[in-house]
Amino acid sequence: MGMVGTVGLVLHPQRDSKKAIDTILRWAADKGATVLGLPEEVGRIDCTAVPVDTDALVEKADLLVGLGGDGTMLRTMRLLAGRPTPILGVNLGKLGFLAEIDVDELPKTLSAIDRHEYTIEPRMAIRTSVNGTEMTAFNDIALVRYPGHGLANVAVTPSDSPFVRYSADAVIVATSTGSTAYSFSAGGPIVSPRVEAVLVVPAAAHSAFNRALVLPADEQVSLHVLPSSGRLAVEVDGAVKGHLAPRRQPHRDRLARRGQGGPPGHHVLRTRPPQAPR
């Protein structure tokens, strides 16, 4: 990333972001940079950010700043839709794994950006095809049992080689970034976001085999919903995007994979201390 001439803001719909926005506006004014935001977000705050539509925001911004928590960061990643624009996550008051810095750290972080004391850390995403519909997740895709219905009975097939059948409340396919989200609460391992891997984790397993799988990022993984399964919700980064009902023949189009060349990912900006001259 070269000099930052345009900064885009993505705001949490409810949390107070005025202090952070004022810090960014002062920094941008000192360097002659423009600050953009979505009309429905910056319009509710008394600030000088320029309201633009979504297309203009993602096309013009050299840096996107997500102000909120992990949900805001995920929304920022979706707006970029695979563009290489880096994202700086600012956490507003709650625990966040993706939003790395707090508001009080923002001034020194922006100064570090001016000094080019940062790294751009790529993160992977996973893509799924459900009944012919393509979906992309940055944290996880999960098949989750509906309350009052039977368990999620799912066969996991990496690279067309049947491996294990889970009977659980949910079966989660997660990225390494998502290893600290739903997968973590289900007992899955914590994986460094710099490791490109796919995790398959059962939640509250009711089967003898209840271990998580860690697979290479370029390995195709099929999830087959078995006839004995209950009705399942398809969750993508925590949002319900569809449902599946068991058939006499198991579903065979449940697919989570990192395709050739990789699905659209995102780039997280991290500041680093200056290195001593050699």
Side-chain angles (χ1 to χ4, degrees):
M1 183 177 67
M3 295 296 294
V4 177
T6 305
V7 180
L9 302 179
V10 181
L11 311 182
H12 188 279
Q14 295 178 333
R15 295 183 195 170
D16 183 7
S17 54
K18 186 69 166 62
K19 180 180 178 181
I21 292 174
D22 287 345
T23 300
I24 294 169
L25 288 170
R26 286 194 299 269
W27 171 72
D30 290 343
K31 60 198 280 83
T34 302
V35 179
L36 309 177
L38 298 173
E40 63 274 17
E41 296 182 354
V42 298
R44 60 184 169 84
I45 298 173
D46 182 19
C47 70
T48 59
V50 179
V52 295
D53 61 25
T54 300
D55 290 341
L57 182 74
V58 300
E59 287 175 6
K60 295 181 179 180
D62 302 309
L63 170 69
L64 279 182
V65 182
L67 301 170
D70 285 356
T72 304
M73 282 290 286
L74 289 170
R75 185 162 62 90
T76 306
M77 296 169 196
R78 294 192 186 284
L79 289 177
L80 285 175
R83 292 173 179 266
T85 308
I87 303 168
L88 175 64
V90 182
N91 190 34
L92 299 181
K94 292 188 177 181
L95 180 65
F97 291 99
L98 296 176
E100 183 183 347
I101 69 167
D102 295 326
V103 175
D104 292 340
E105 299 173 294
L106 187 53
K108 68 177 183 181
T109 299
L110 296 174
S111 296
I113 292 174
D114 283 336
R115 298 191 301 269
H116 298 280
E117 295 170 2
Y118 60 84
T119 58
I120 303 295
E121 184 176 280
R123 303 286 185 93
M124 65 171 284
I126 50 176
R127 181 176 294 143
T128 186
S129 175
V130 179
N131 292 331
T133 301
E134 294 282 336
M135 305 175 189
T136 299
F138 299 101
N139 268 350
D140 48 51
I141 297 165
L143 302 183
V144 184
R145 71 182 288 262
Y146 274 88
H149 289 252
L151 295 171
N153 293 331
V154 176
V156 180
T157 304
S159 297
D160 296 322
S161 299
F163 184 74
V164 67
R165 294 186 175 195
Y166 288 123
S167 182
D169 283 353
V171 177
I172 306 155
V173 181
T175 64
S176 49
T177 299
S179 69
T180 54
Y182 193 2
S183 170
F184 176 73
S185 69
I190 296 177
V191 180
S192 168
R194 287 184 293 229
V195 175
E196 290 196 342
V198 172
L199 286 67
V200 184
V201 182
H206 294 250
S207 50
F209 187 87
N210 60 0
R211 303 302 187 203
L213 307 180
V214 180
L215 304 171
D218 59 356
E219 186 164 12
Q220 178 176 295
V221 182
S222 296
L223 304 185
H224 303 274
V225 179
L226 301 174
S228 57
S229 179
R231 187 167 182 258
L232 306 180
V234 181
E235 293 187 1
V236 179
D237 285 338
V240 176
K241 296 297 185 178
H243 70 273
L244 299 171
R247 303 171 180 169
R248 289 187 178 180
Q249 295 297 321
H251 292 273
R252 295 188 182 276
D253 53 352
R254 308 292 75 74
L255 176 66
R257 65 181 177 185
R258 185 178 189 270
Q260 186 174 3
H266 55 281
H267 296 78
V268 175
L269 187 146
R270 297 183 184 276
T271 56
R272 55 174 170 76
Q275 296 180 345
R278 295 182 179 177

